[in-house]
Amino acid sequence: MSEAPRERLQASQTERNSSEKVPRPVATSAGAAANAAALSKIGEQAFQRGELVNSELAALTYGALVRQLVLDYAHPQQVNEQLDRIGYNIGLRLVDDFLARSAAPPCRSFAASAEIIARVAFRMYLGVNAKVAHIASDGSEYSILFDSNPLAEFAELPEPMKGSLWYSNVICGVIRGALEMVQYSVQARFERDILRGDDCNEIRVSLVRELEERVPTDNEI
Amino acid sequence: MIERLYYFVIVGPNDRVLYDLFYPASLSELDWRTSSDASSPTERGGFESHHFVPSIQAVLQFVAYSALDHIDEKLWITSARSLKHVFRFREWSASVHLTPNASTRFVLVHGSSEDAARNVRAFMNAVYEVYVPCVLCNPFQDAEAPIQSQRFHEVAKNLAKRYLSG
């Protein structure tokens, strides 16, 4: 590797939340821009606080994983499913780490989770700036857009897979798993990918239903 | 004219061709055998007219492949990664850049004058700089598979233009 890493990734581990002052975002609709800026700042701080891992190492490791899946499964469609499953299992665990370390304000609605994921989580774990777009009028669907993708830094899809493989599908799984742990059952899928020649990456997240917390019936209280 | 023709080839393990590039690009389409203005012996690659006349592309490829044997010999007596003029044939000369594993070799065939060989080393280094992220680090690229990367092809063409156009 010729030069020092330009970008760095967040490792999933480290010290707890320090007692830094974090600006509380304003909840009113008028303060939406200020809200986004405040969230970006929270994401940036969480990114700085955490332990960093070389992005080239992460990109190559992830590339090797995808490559192996491509060799193991007959159809890129199955590879997408496997990546989603891997991501789901990461998400289930990662959400704990996120809640503990990010210092992000709680989400009051499903739509509010969009900004938190895009501004804080993407910054914190991937080191990229993402933004929210195309929010459905009833607030049950939104897209997350981001330009650079550290996972796909070196990848170039072979021609036959350009129409079928979503290289970074693991991110969709992470979002699905993480939101499920905070009582939102969602579907997440890639809509656009720079690797396929699109102008940006887009992940579409749509709410399936809100899960209810229930006391298990067979427990004695 | 002949001084400014280049043939760049990446040879993988087992001497398999992974990538090749003619510069200028028109060279890869042009058939010098039938072209009417290729009447002088120099332009026909130095072959007499009553001989079988190979196309200029074939001559360039021949020089590149012949150079491989000379590279294998030189490999043991020098620690240099970049060797100029490892093999000469008539007015052609081949230079090589060895990647660290030494099984993948970048060979460039060029005119044998110093003027034509001036930027060879810079060109090879520049190509290697692109080769690492575009080819070596691409998870879908096998070590022995031909290089399909469009990105690499574009950059290699531009580098050839920048360094080799004199």
Side-chain angles (χ1 to χ4, degrees), chain A residues 19 31 34 39 53 65 71 86 119 148-149 170 180 192 203 213 219:
Chain A
S19 54
L39 286 175
V53 62
L65 171 78
L71 292 178
I86 293 169
R119 304 274 171 186
S148 65
N149 181 357
V170 76
E180 188 162 307
R192 284 186 287 169
I203 294 177
E213 281 184 83
N219 270 14

Side-chain angles (χ1 to χ4, degrees), chain A residues 15-24 45 49 100-101 103:
Chain A
E15 77 264 35
R16 308 269 314 181
N17 207 347
S18 60
S19 54
E20 279 172 72
K21 272 257 173 178
V22 176
R24 283 281 139 192
Q45 283 171 347
R49 268 201 303 276
R101 288 201 302 121

Side-chain angles (χ1 to χ4, degrees), chain A residues 12 27 34 56-57 75 93 107 114 130 146 154 156 159 164 178 219:
Chain A
S12 62
E56 286 169 342
L57 173 68
H75 298 290
R93 293 158 178 76
C107 307
F146 53 107
F154 300 117
E156 188 170 345
E159 221 34 70
S164 46
N219 270 14

Side-chain angles (χ1 to χ4, degrees), chain A residues 60 63 67 154-156 158 167, chain B residues 133 137-140 142 149-151:
Chain A
L60 289 172
R67 178 66 212 271
F154 300 117
E156 188 170 345
Y167 183 79
Chain B
C137 291
N138 183 356
F140 296 103
D142 279 326
S149 168
Q150 207 52 41
R151 195 164 48 159

